[in-house]
Amino acid sequence: MKRLTIALSVLMMISGTAWAKLYITEPLLVPQSPYAGMTFYVYRPYNMPKDWYITLDGYPVHRNSDGMWVYGTAEGPNLVATNYVVGSIVPSTAGITKWISDVQVSELRKFPNPEIQEVRQKGFTRSQMSMGKNYSTYIPDWTFNPAFMAVGNWKGTVDRMAVLSDLGTPAAWSGGSPRVIYVWTGSSWHQLDTGEVRSPKRVLVRNYSKLKRLLRDSGFKWYAQDMPVLAQQAKAWGYYWLGEMNLTNR
């Protein structure tokens, strides 16, 4: 199939008595490091701040120092990176607004955009939670549990959180090759030493049966309403939110 490309161009056209700038760079297909196999398109209109891009559905994104693409929010004329990783949430329901631009992007819509479709990657599923729903009257029990909330202070060994969708419980670790992974078992954070493996998913799969037994014995239940609460809490702690991680889809 012939590859459709849009060359770097600067066009000027008259709209009434005003000049409207049209500046479109060729869209880039970029990988999303936390999710094996996930790619999506970004591009840069003329009025984007340095090192910032826009997804084809209009949201500002930035590749951070950890190599992950994250959404941004506007603070005055500036964009500030959030801890919401692209692919973990539906941005419009997380309070993230589209970047306002006078760039004409009709041609860009010809590009397939995996990011705005329902993404199901090996090991991860894009959370379809609706963070826009009003959960103000719903407060999960774990928010009152000091043992659970203690993970917010473990910034030396934690910088990201996910929910193990097929086990129904949160997990936390640091970086792409962590030395330790913490999994909530209902009463405490169970620590998994990664040893020589260092792959979060491989370690979790290896301990799947044990984790399932611990959760069954504790009687812990994870509910759909817990997802947006934990997403916002992880963001408040300064951790990256990775959404749902699937272990049995392997």
Side-chain angles (χ1 to χ4, degrees), residues 57 59 71 89-97 115 126:
D57 52 344
Y59 293 99
Y71 288 109
I89 59 166
V90 178
S92 61
T93 61
I96 298 171
T97 57
E115 180 216 347
R126 175 172 176 168

Side-chain angles (χ1 to χ4, degrees), residues 17-144:
T17 58
W19 288 85
K21 292 182 179 179
L22 299 181
Y23 181 89
I24 302 176
T25 62
E26 180 178 349
L28 301 174
L29 184 63
V30 297
Q32 177 60 301
S33 59
Y35 310 132
M38 177 181 174
T39 58
F40 62 100
Y41 283 101
V42 297
Y43 72 100
R44 274 183 58 82
Y46 77 95
N47 60 343
M48 287 301 291
K50 186 178 183 294
D51 298 327
W52 282 88
Y53 295 79
I54 297 180
T55 62
L56 295 195
D57 52 344
Y59 293 99
V61 293
H62 166 72
R63 188 173 185 269
N64 63 23
S65 58
D66 293 313
M68 295 187 292
W69 288 90
V70 296
Y71 288 109
T73 56
E75 291 190 4
N78 302 314
L79 284 170
V80 177
T82 71
N83 286 48
Y84 291 130
V85 175
V86 175
S88 69
I89 59 166
V90 178
S92 61
T93 61
I96 298 171
T97 57
K98 295 185 178 183
W99 178 257
I100 299 175
S101 173
D102 57 0
V103 173
Q104 302 295 317
V105 296
S106 59
E107 287 298 309
L108 295 177
R109 300 187 187 281
K110 296 179 182 178
F111 281 77
N113 193 356
E115 180 216 347
I116 61 174
Q117 300 169 1
E118 182 177 347
V119 179
R120 289 190 175 274
Q121 301 298 336
K122 184 179 180 181
F124 280 85
T125 56
R126 175 172 176 168
S127 173
Q128 297 300 311
M129 64 185 178
S130 176
M131 295 180 66
K133 291 182 179 179
N134 182 8
Y135 290 119
S136 60
T137 59
Y138 176 77
I139 305 177
D141 291 342
W142 49 261
T143 60
F144 298 103

Side-chain angles (χ1 to χ4, degrees), residues 195-210:
E196 298 297 322
V197 178
R198 305 295 289 277
S199 164
K201 185 185 176 185
R202 287 179 60 190
V203 173
L204 290 165
V205 168
R206 185 176 61 186
N207 290 274
Y208 181 86
S209 298
K210 178 173 69 174

